[in-house]
C-alpha cells in the first residue's frame, strides 16, 4: 500500500506582511514531493477552514513580525475548540526568539523552525509532523 502524499497548508497570520520565507519553504516542500496549499496572509479561522476542507496533515505558519505568541495561541486555541488539533499538526517558523520555542510547543505546536533552519531540517520536521497525525 502506497503512503498518502503529505499535504501542507502554508500561511501567515495576523499583521504579517512578509512572505519570502513562506514562499521559500513552500518551494522546498514541493521539491520534497509534498502537496502545498499556499494561502498567504489569512486569519486563524480561514486557515483552519481551508485546512479542514483540503484534508491537510500540517498547517505551517510563517511569522516574521514578532506576533508569533499571540497569533500562534489564537490558531491553536481555535483548533482545540474545533477539535482538529489531533488530526492536524501545526508547525511555526520564522524570526522566533529561542526563548519562545518552548512556549510555542507547550501551546500545541508540533515543532518550531527558527531563523536559519536548513532546508533538510525544515523538510524533515514537516514530514515528521505529517506522520504524527496519520
Amino acid at each position: 500500500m502506497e503512503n498518502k502524499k503529505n499535504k501542507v497548508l502554508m500561511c501567515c497570520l495576523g499583521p504579517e506582511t512578509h512572505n519570502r520565507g513562506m514562499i521559500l519553504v513552500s518551494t522546498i516542500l514541493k521539491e520534497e514531493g509534498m502537496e502545498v496549499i499556499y494561502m498567504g496572509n489569512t486569519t486563524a479561522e480561514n486557515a483552519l477552514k481551508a485546512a479542514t476542507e483540503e484534508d491537510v496533515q500540517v498547517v505551517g505558519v510563517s511569522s516574521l513580525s514578532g506576533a508569533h505568541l499571540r497569533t500562534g495561541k489564537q490558531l491553536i486555541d481555535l483548533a482545540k475548540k474545533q477539535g482538529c488539533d489531533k488530526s492536524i499538526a501545526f508547525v511555526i517558523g520564522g524570526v522566533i526568539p529561542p526563548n519562545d520555542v518552548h512556549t510555542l510547543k507547550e501551546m500545541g505546536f508540533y515543532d518550531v523552525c527558527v531563523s536559519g533552519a536548513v532546508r533538510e531540517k525544515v523538510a524533515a520536521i514537516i514530514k515528521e509532523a505529517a506522520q504524527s497525525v496519520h
Side-chain angles (χ1 to χ4, degrees):
M1 185 171 150
E2 193 173 315
N3 285 341
K4 184 177 177 181
K5 188 174 190 176
N6 294 330
K7 199 169 183 182
V8 182
L9 180 134
M10 294 295 298
C11 65
C12 291
L13 300 173
E16 193 66 49
T17 59
H18 305 91
N19 64 0
R20 181 153 319 266
M22 185 172 48
I23 291 169
L24 177 61
V25 170
S26 295
T27 300
I28 290 168
L29 299 179
K30 286 178 185 178
E31 289 171 355
E32 290 289 323
M34 296 182 218
E35 184 176 345
V36 178
I37 298 159
Y38 179 89
M39 278 198 79
N41 192 280
T42 190
T43 63
E45 294 83 3
N46 287 339
L48 289 177
K49 182 176 188 243
T52 303
E53 288 173 357
E54 294 288 341
D55 193 28
V56 303
Q57 290 87 31
V58 181
V59 170
V61 178
S62 175
S63 182
L64 302 175
S65 69
H68 52 277
L69 294 176
R70 182 178 52 80
T71 59
K73 183 171 179 10
Q74 289 171 343
L75 178 67
I76 298 298
D77 286 352
L78 186 58
K80 289 176 180 176
K81 183 179 177 182
Q82 292 181 2
C84 61
D85 59 311
K86 302 295 184 225
S87 59
I88 299 171
F90 297 87
V91 176
I92 191 167
V95 181
I96 297 175
N99 291 343
D100 290 346
V101 171
H102 181 71
T103 302
L104 289 162
K105 287 183 177 181
E106 280 188 335
M107 268 182 212
F109 282 93
Y110 178 83
D111 212 335
V112 180
C113 297
V114 296
S115 184
V118 297
R119 78 181 282 126
E120 293 81 10
K121 175 80 171 166
V122 172
I125 287 170
I126 298 295
K127 287 177 184 177
E128 290 168 11
Q131 294 303 310
S132 77
V133 294
H134 280 168

